Amino acid sequence: MGKISEHVFRVVNSASLAGWYKTVMGMQVTEDASAKTWTAFYPGEGVKLVFQEVASKGTTYKSNRDSCYWKIGVTVSDVDLARDKIMAAGTQVSVPTQFLDVGYLCHLADPNGFTIELLQHTFKQSFVKPIPDPRLALGQTAVIGQITTRSQDIEASLGLYRDSLGMKLLSIQDISDYGFCLYFLAFTAENPPDQDLNSTKNREWLWQRPYTTLEIQCRPGQSCVPMDKEGEGVDHITMEVEDYANIMTKLKADQSNSSFPDPDGVQLKLKFAIR
């Protein structure tokens, strides 16, 4: 089974940023001094965030609605508690809301400007408050549940991620009131509880998965600016796949560095998944 293994960022002051993810977001962190990187992660199956140090004289990162990259999502059982903890640590967080029949959520930015969404396991109306764990920074366990990208052509995106890389499409969420549709894919053998992928019954189940999903926002007619390759920004997303050689051949990708862009400019790097 494949997996989304690393989400790699180019940043200034990588040690400081890793410290923020440890202190404020409650992640574990490790340093690779030879590679000049720090890694932040929650225990379990979720993706690891890798921060590569870049020169301070380069461009700084600014979130852009036209970019092919949007955010990460951190899923928790109690969004209000997580927000209170983060606010108490000195970081501003938006007021949580129940966004349609999608989820109870809010947003913040890390010190380098990368967007984070806090997403609750359950809708506001079905929430049952859990017992907080004072040992944890957020008062509870957490998972990096989503990496969110944008697409101009969802069929091209599904052709890559589902049909070529072997990810499973778990949920389709039509948010026509806001002019977009969300598609959620993962490397998993699990099936959602309702085989109708448009069903709202699958959504709370999806927010409780222990692994990271790829969330693709498709807005008809939206522009998607490819990832920058210099200065601060998202460098690439690493995915491990079992049929590595055949996939690389099928995609006609450069096997010397195993890296290539998706149809909208999201840079990917493939590795062989060890069973």
Side-chain angles (χ1 to χ4, degrees):
M1 183 65 64
K3 68 176 182 178
I4 305 174
S5 56
E6 293 181 338
H7 186 1
V8 183
F9 301 81
R10 302 183 309 275
V11 301
V12 174
N13 298 323
S14 56
S16 176
L17 184 59
W20 182 87
Y21 275 92
K22 177 180 180 179
T23 302
V24 177
M25 299 302 295
M27 297 187 187
Q28 297 179 13
V29 300
T30 59
E31 180 188 13
D32 185 338
S34 61
K36 296 183 179 180
T37 63
W38 285 82
T39 300
F41 58 94
Y42 292 116
E45 302 174 45
V47 69
K48 294 183 177 182
L49 308 181
V50 179
F51 306 118
Q52 294 179 341
E53 187 70 27
V54 295
S56 58
K57 63 181 180 181
T59 57
T60 58
Y61 176 77
K62 292 183 179 179
S63 182
N64 180 357
R65 288 176 60 87
D66 291 331
S67 172
C68 62
Y69 174 78
W70 184 4
K71 60 179 174 62
I72 64 167
V74 173
T75 54
V76 294
S77 57
D78 187 343
V79 155
D80 290 320
L81 175 60
R83 177 179 185 266
D84 289 346
K85 295 286 188 180
I86 294 169
M87 293 276 285
T91 297
Q92 292 299 307
V93 186
S94 68
V95 176
T97 60
Q98 175 63 43
F99 179 62
L100 303 178
D101 52 7
V102 174
Y104 187 63
L105 52 85
C106 57
H107 296 92
L108 64 143
D110 73 16
N112 289 54
F114 296 100
T115 302
I116 301 170
E117 180 175 271
L118 297 179
L119 178 60
Q120 192 162 278
H121 291 165
T122 57
F123 295 164
K124 184 177 182 180
Q125 61 267 29
S126 55
F127 174 69
V128 177
K129 191 169 183 63
I131 298 174
D133 188 337
R135 300 170 299 174
L136 301 176
L138 299 181
Q140 60 202 299
T141 58
V143 171
I144 301 175
Q146 299 85 30
I147 297 175
T148 310
T149 64
R150 297 185 176 101
S151 174
Q152 297 182 87
D153 182 350
I154 192 59
E155 291 306 319
S157 294
L158 294 177
L160 171 63
Y161 292 108
R162 180 191 60 194
D163 303 335
S164 294
L165 300 186
M167 301 183 81
K168 181 179 290 186
L169 182 59
L170 297 176
S171 179
I172 301 172
Q173 303 182 16
D174 184 5
I175 319 298
S176 54
D177 288 350
Y178 288 81
F180 63 86
C181 189
L182 302 173
Y183 298 79
F184 294 83
L185 302 100
F187 291 104
T188 181
E190 290 189 309
N191 293 309
D194 192 322
Q195 64 180 355
D196 177 5
L197 300 186
N198 293 280
S199 173
T200 59
K201 296 178 182 179
N202 294 329
R203 297 178 185 180
E204 290 178 301
W205 171 85
L206 188 62
W207 311 149
Q208 297 173 46
R209 303 325 325 128
Y211 45 79
T212 303
T213 62
L214 177 67
E215 174 186 7
I216 304 175
Q217 182 198 58
C218 184
R219 189 190 305 269
Q222 79 171 31
S223 60
C224 284
V225 179
M227 292 177 174
D228 292 329
K229 296 184 178 181
E230 304 293 335
E232 284 195 310
V234 176
D235 195 77
H236 66 272
I237 299 168
T238 300
M239 296 184 173
E240 298 182 10
V241 293
E242 291 184 344
D243 197 14
Y244 171 82
N246 286 335
I247 289 173
M248 293 296 289
T249 299
K250 179 180 178 181
L251 295 175
K252 299 180 180 179
D254 182 1
Q255 297 195 34
S256 64
N257 61 13
S258 305
S259 183
F260 59 92
D262 83 354
D264 295 281
V266 176
Q267 197 68 24
L268 303 176
K269 186 170 185 178
L270 296 190
K271 289 183 176 181
F272 178 74
I274 302 175
R275 296 184 181 183

